[in-house]
Amino acid sequence: SNYKAIVDSGTTLTILPNFLYSSISAAMFNSCSYLPDLPGLCYSHKPIPPERTSIFNPITCWDLSPDLILMYPVVEFVFPGINGKGNFSLRFSPSGYFIQRDINGRRCSSFGIIQTNVSDLIVLGDTFMRQYYIIFDRENDRIGFAEPTDCNFSIPEPEPLFSIKHLVLFLVAVLIFLSAIVFAVACWIKCKRQEPDVEYIN
């Protein structure tokens, strides 16, 4: 569409106009046909009945495990490319649009997208931004998005100042040095004992 979006790290949630919010909630309900039972959304492959509280109720908070959160639908935003060069899409995963809250000492999850009556206000806040590396290129008046790569790599531990090998070599050198000192002292004592007695005559 011709609507513009604001990418704002100062806004905690993602804010959408009513019509767009309704479209997303309807699409998520429609996806229940192939989804498992999900609290506040799907039951027996159907949307939950209207009388039941849904995840779209802004005052609700749900006890959802990380694995269960990942089963909720992915929202996808489509944006026009630079200079009309095609479109590109950005995925809004459930691990992003669910926010963690602490209510009376209990952790729970709430839907991190809210709606507004302002028809042209789209704010992609922290719930959306935290899934990407984002570059604000003010000089060229553009924004870049990059998905983080797999960070499960191991950082090699720095070698200790003295490794076992170095320690062994050091001890061998010390032993050789001490042996040399002992040998030198022994030679000096032996030579001292073998010195001939000299009689001095005035």
Side-chain angles (χ1 to χ4, degrees):
S1 69
N2 294 322
Y3 291 96
K4 296 182 179 180
I6 301 171
V7 181
D8 181 24
S9 59
T11 302
T12 302
L13 305 179
T14 293
I15 305 173
L16 303 176
N18 290 334
F19 79 93
L20 189 54
Y21 185 91
S22 299
S23 298
I24 289 178
S25 60
M28 292 178 70
F29 277 133
N30 290 336
S31 64
C32 287
S33 58
Y34 58 86
L35 291 176
D37 291 352
L38 297 173
L41 187 68
C42 304
Y43 181 73
S44 296
H45 299 291
K46 296 180 181 180
I48 60 172
E51 64 271 12
R52 293 180 58 179
T53 304
S54 75
I55 60 171
F56 306 108
N57 187 326
I59 64 172
T60 58
C61 201
W62 302 83
D63 185 11
L64 304 175
S65 67
D67 290 338
L68 186 57
I69 286 177
L70 293 178
M71 295 182 182
Y72 282 79
V74 173
V75 178
E76 193 170 62
F77 291 106
V78 180
F79 300 92
I82 297 177
N83 299 324
K85 296 180 179 179
N87 297 329
F88 70 97
S89 60
L90 295 174
R91 293 164 57 87
F92 197 3
S93 69
S95 59
Y97 63 66
F98 274 111
I99 60 173
Q100 300 301 308
R101 298 169 60 186
D102 192 337
I103 299 180
N104 297 326
R106 184 177 178 181
R107 298 287 290 177
C108 57
S109 302
S110 292
F111 196 59
I113 305 175
I114 59 175
Q115 57 185 326
T116 177
N117 292 324
V118 182
S119 60
D120 58 351
L121 179 63
I122 299 176
V123 181
L124 304 178
D126 181 65
T127 49
F128 178 82
M129 295 178 64
R130 62 187 177 185
Q131 303 176 111
Y132 296 95
Y133 291 115
I134 300 178
I135 299 176
F136 292 88
D137 185 358
R138 300 185 184 278
E139 183 177 350
N140 296 300
D141 196 23
R142 60 184 181 176
I143 299 177
F145 296 87
E147 293 186 3
T149 57
D150 183 12
C151 295
N152 295 322
F153 61 90
S154 59
I155 301 176
E157 296 183 1
E159 292 187 6
L161 186 60
F162 288 103
S163 64
I164 300 298
K165 178 181 178 181
H166 292 156
L167 183 59
V168 170
L169 292 176
F170 175 75
L171 292 176
V172 169
V174 169
L175 289 175
I176 293 174
F177 177 73
L178 293 177
S179 299
I181 292 178
V182 171
F183 180 76
V185 171
C187 289
W188 180 80
I189 293 175
K190 183 178 181 181
C191 293
K192 190 71 174 176
R193 288 177 178 175
Q194 293 178 352
E195 287 182 358
D197 294 333
V198 179
E199 182 179 351
Y200 293 95
I201 301 176
N202 291 328

